[in-house]
């Protein structure tokens, strides 16, 4: 039997009605563009969060995670209140509770449920474990109550839960990647219209690998730095008379920069506009089957995040520099930054050498040993049982 289903049965004494799974993600390129109505190119990882669930006849939501020692947390759907994220081990329950709240807020007739969660998406690694939990929960509750929703709607509700209930001001990229990705493809995402294009991305067929280097530096998006980036982008767009930085064309960047007086705002704008352009260029290289040619664009994106957007950290910079020096075609931090993971695009045969080089450089710098794994584009959320 599926392990989440078995865990559910052991805990609640009867089998679940179904099991839903949603993946973590890495973002190939297009960082911090999603709250500027821009473009991103994420893909889903094989690591996923499973939610085994069954309806209840009352308004209770019972939550248990196999990965956190929080026991069974019981909440009443009628008293869910945004902003009340519990501290300590039960903190994770804000995500499924927030999803239930967002579904009810949207007028969807979901009721009580028992949930059993297990996940192999690493937490705090910048691989969107929270989006995976939100999307799996949203899919479970809506399907249990006979109101299945398309991926983009699940993602929008999951993001609403994270913004308004949990209090993290994220964009929609992570939830869209988790809900809408398809195996073997990167997801080109227009975060203004939620229009999606599935771009074939098969590293193995080109003799390549994409490594994920988890620096083990935990990032925390609720921390003010993310919100500060977001507000400087919105201020700059307003100063330029634009609805969002997405509306600033690459060709008009020099003129727009000359109109901005705040040097920090100028750097933030330069990152967003050049990053949107890099997403389009990487997409074009993938479509043309020139995966290696995407490498330098990844490294350029990293420099922009490090110097203009100022969201990198010494561990991410070292991972990128070392991978590149060991022969990677390109490398960059992925996700929100301030820790989490980096990506490196390498020849398949170079895997051991690049991994050794990165591990050696971390040891020499006195950093915690990184976790190096391969990323293969996997499918988005689905019912698995
Ligand atoms: C985090 C957020 C996303 C996005 C990235 C940066 O992962 O959750 O919405 O803003 O950071 O690209």
């Amino acid at each position: 039997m599926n392990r989440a289903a078995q865990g559910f049965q052991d805990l609640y004494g009867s089998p679940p009605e179904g099991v839903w799974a949603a993946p973590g993600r890495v973002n190939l390129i297009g960082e911090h563009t999603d709250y500027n109505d821009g473009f991103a190119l994420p893909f889903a990882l094989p690591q996923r969060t499973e939610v085994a669930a069954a309806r209840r006849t009352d308004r209770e939501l019972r939550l248990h995670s196999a990965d956190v020692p929080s026991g069974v947390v019981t909440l009443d759907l009628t008293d869910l209140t945004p902003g009340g994220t519990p501290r300590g081990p039960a903190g994770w329950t804000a995500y499924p509770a927030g999803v239930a709240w967002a579904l009810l807020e949207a007028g969807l007739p979901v009721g009580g449920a028992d949930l059993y969660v297990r996940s192999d998406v690493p937490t705090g690694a910048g691989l969107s474990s929270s989006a995976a939990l939100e999307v799996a929960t949203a899919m479970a509750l809506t399907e249990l109550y006979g109101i299945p929703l398309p991926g983009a709607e699940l993602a929008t509700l999951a993001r609403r839960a994270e913004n308004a209930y949990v209090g993290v001001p994220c964009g929609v990229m992570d939830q869209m990647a988790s809900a809408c990705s398809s195996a073997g493809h990167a997801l080109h995402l227009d975060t203004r219209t939620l229009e999606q294009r599935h771009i074939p991305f098969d590293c193995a067929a080109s003799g390549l690998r994409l490594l994920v280097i988890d620096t083990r530096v935990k990032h925390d998006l609720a921390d003010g730095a993310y919100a500060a980036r977001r507000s400087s982008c919105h201020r700059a767009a307003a100063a330029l008379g634009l609805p969002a930085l997405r509306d600033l064309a690459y060709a008009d960047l020099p003129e727009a920069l000359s109109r901005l007086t705040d040097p920090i705002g100028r750097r933030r704008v330069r990152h967003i506009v050049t990053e949107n352009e890099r997403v389009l260029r990487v997409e074009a290289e993938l479509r043309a089957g020139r995966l290696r040619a995407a490498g330098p664009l990844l490294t350029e994106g990293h420099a922009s995040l490090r110097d203009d957007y100022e969201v990198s950290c010494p561990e991410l910079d070292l991972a990128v520099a070392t991978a590149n020096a060991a022969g990677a075609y390109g490398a960059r931090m992925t996700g929100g930054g301030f820790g989490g993971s980096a990506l490196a695009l390498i020849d398949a045969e170079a895997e051991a050498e690049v991994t050794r080089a990165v591990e050696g450089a971390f040891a020499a710098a006195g950093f915690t040993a990184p976790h190096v794994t391969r990323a293969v584009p996997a499918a988005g959320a689905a019912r698995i049982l």
Side-chain angles (χ1 to χ4, degrees):
M1 201 200 242
N2 163 279
R3 280 203 282 164
Q6 185 66 60
F8 184 101
Q9 160 114 40
D10 295 345
L11 181 72
Y12 296 114
S14 56
E17 291 182 71
V19 180
W20 289 263
R25 64 98 189 92
V26 291
N27 187 16
L28 186 58
I29 189 94
E31 222 64 85
H32 289 273
T33 47
D34 65 349
Y35 49 84
N36 291 295
D37 282 3
F39 308 124
L41 197 57
F43 62 87
L45 289 169
Q47 287 89 342
R48 21 190 73 223
T49 296
E50 294 178 356
V51 172
R55 282 168 294 179
R56 295 177 56 83
T57 51
D58 58 18
R59 304 287 291 168
E60 278 187 1
L61 190 61
R62 288 201 289 176
L63 303 167
H64 175 81
S65 165
D67 312 305
V68 191
S70 55
V72 176
V73 174
T74 302
L75 301 168
D76 191 321
L77 285 181
T78 30
D79 324 316
L80 296 177
T81 325
T85 306
R87 293 190 176 276
W92 71 275
T93 58
Y95 297 93
V99 166
W101 171 84
L103 297 175
L104 291 168
E105 187 207 34
L108 297 166
V110 295
D114 289 336
L115 265 57
Y116 180 98
V117 177
R118 62 177 303 280
S119 181
D120 57 6
V121 185
T123 55
L127 303 177
S128 294
S129 57
S130 20
L133 175 56
E134 291 155 7
V135 170
T137 305
M139 201 177 226
L141 290 177
T142 50
E143 294 196 7
L144 277 177
Y145 279 93
I147 34 171
L149 295 175
E153 284 180 43
L154 289 176
T156 304
L157 287 160
R159 180 208 182 180
R160 169 84 185 137
E162 183 146 351
N163 288 173
Y165 194 94
V166 184
V168 177
C170 62
V172 78
M173 167 177 68
D174 304 342
Q175 293 79 6
M176 284 293 291
S178 183
C180 302
S181 288
S182 95
H185 293 76
L187 179 72
H188 173 96
L189 186 62
D190 179 330
T191 64
R192 169 170 281 166
T193 60
L194 298 192
E195 187 198 322
Q196 307 155 42
R197 293 195 290 264
H198 297 273
I199 318 295
F201 182 43
D202 184 350
C203 286
S206 302
L208 297 172
R209 288 225 200 298
L210 196 64
L211 295 185
V212 175
I213 304 161
D214 174 2
T215 62
R216 317 286 293 284
V217 177
K218 297 275 178 191
H219 72 138
D220 184 358
L221 288 189
D223 163 73
Y226 184 90
R229 297 301 179 285
R230 200 185 158 104
S231 18
S232 44
C233 289
H234 293 174
R235 265 200 310 277
L240 293 166
L242 298 169
L245 290 180
R246 146 74 175 274
D247 299 298
L248 180 52
Y250 183 67
D252 298 335
L253 179 62
E255 187 272 333
L257 292 180
S258 73
R259 284 199 283 136
L260 289 171
T261 46
D262 167 26
I264 295 183
R266 267 206 298 268
R267 294 209 296 277
R268 305 296 188 249
V269 170
R270 189 164 55 198
H271 167 71
I272 299 301
V273 174
T274 58
E275 186 78 350
N276 276 329
E277 180 69 13
R278 279 186 287 273
V279 173
L280 300 177
R281 289 187 187 162
V282 168
E283 179 186 345
E285 299 299 359
L286 298 193
R287 282 188 183 282
R290 290 189 302 253
L291 273 58
R292 288 171 178 78
L297 292 161
L298 304 186
T299 303
E300 206 182 278
H302 184 78
S304 178
L305 287 159
R306 182 191 60 209
D307 303 333
D308 275 349
Y309 219 63
E310 299 177 276
V311 291
S312 189
C313 66
E315 291 83 353
L316 286 167
D317 293 342
L318 183 64
V320 167
T322 310
N324 279 336
Y329 292 101
R332 61 181 288 273
M333 52 158 276
T334 185
F338 309 107
S341 299
L343 297 177
L345 182 67
I346 61 167
D347 273 325
E349 310 85 74
E351 185 172 354
E353 189 186 328
V354 173
T355 304
R356 231 181 353 242
V358 171
E359 287 170 351
F362 270 55
F367 295 158
T368 304
H371 255 167
V372 185
T373 50
R374 287 180 201 167
V376 178
R383 182 175 189 154
I384 58 168
L385 197 80

